[in-house]
């Protein structure tokens, strides 16, 4: 009739050993990868900054060379060739005079019109 009850044992929850370890590996691996990617990005940015600085220095040097007045070579006073000067040579000389500021744009246009007419 009456059966004696068995003593109640507490239920023990057994956690798998591999899960916390695997979670730690995943979190640690992700943090490691993120750190390496950040370091790689920083190195790339430093490389780009250095390249930009080099290009700017090169452009500054080129601008200084262009800004420095170039020595004007003295044109030898040579007699014209037997057939006369070519129209292209005369136009080139007129353009040089206009660039040097010895001719105004109006004077240059008038002289060019006379040559081409």
């Amino acid at each position: 009739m009456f059966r004696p009850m068995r003593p109640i044992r507490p239920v023990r929850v057994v956690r798998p050993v591999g899960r916390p370890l695997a979670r730690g590996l995943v979190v640690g691996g992700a943090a490691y990868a993120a750190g390496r990617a950040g370091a790689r990005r920083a190195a790339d940015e430093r490389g780009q900054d250095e390249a930009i600085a080099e290009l700017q220095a090169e452009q500054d040097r080129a601008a200084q060379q262009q800004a420095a007045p170039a020595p004007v070579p003295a044109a030898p006073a040579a007699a014209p060739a037997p057939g006369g000067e070519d129209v292209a040579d005369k136009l080139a000389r007129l353009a040089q005079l206009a660039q040097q500021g010895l001719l105004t744009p109006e004077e240059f246009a008038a002289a060019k019109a006379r040559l081409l007419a």
Side-chain angles (χ1 to χ4, degrees):
M1 299 213 204
F2 180 67
R3 263 199 298 173
M5 289 184 72
R6 289 187 294 172
I8 300 175
R9 283 190 268 156
V11 178
R12 247 178 42 181
V13 177
V14 178
R15 285 181 144 176
V17 176
R19 264 195 193 161
L21 183 61
R23 188 178 323 132
L25 286 174
V26 169
V27 170
Y32 175 74
R36 280 187 56 124
R40 191 177 311 119
R41 255 185 267 117
D44 288 346
E45 285 182 15
R46 277 193 305 271
Q48 287 177 352
D49 290 343
E50 290 171 2
I52 289 171
E54 288 176 13
L55 285 173
Q56 286 176 343
E58 185 177 318
Q59 289 175 350
D60 291 342
R61 283 192 298 269
Q64 287 176 355
Q65 287 177 353
Q66 288 179 355
V72 178
E85 287 187 75
D86 190 26
V87 175
D89 292 335
K90 290 181 182 181
L91 281 175
R93 190 167 357 128
L94 280 175
Q96 280 181 341
L97 292 173
Q99 285 178 350
Q100 293 172 356
L102 299 175
L103 288 179
T104 64
E106 294 83 17
E107 292 172 335
F108 174 72
K112 186 170 79 169
R114 269 186 272 133
L115 277 177
L116 296 176

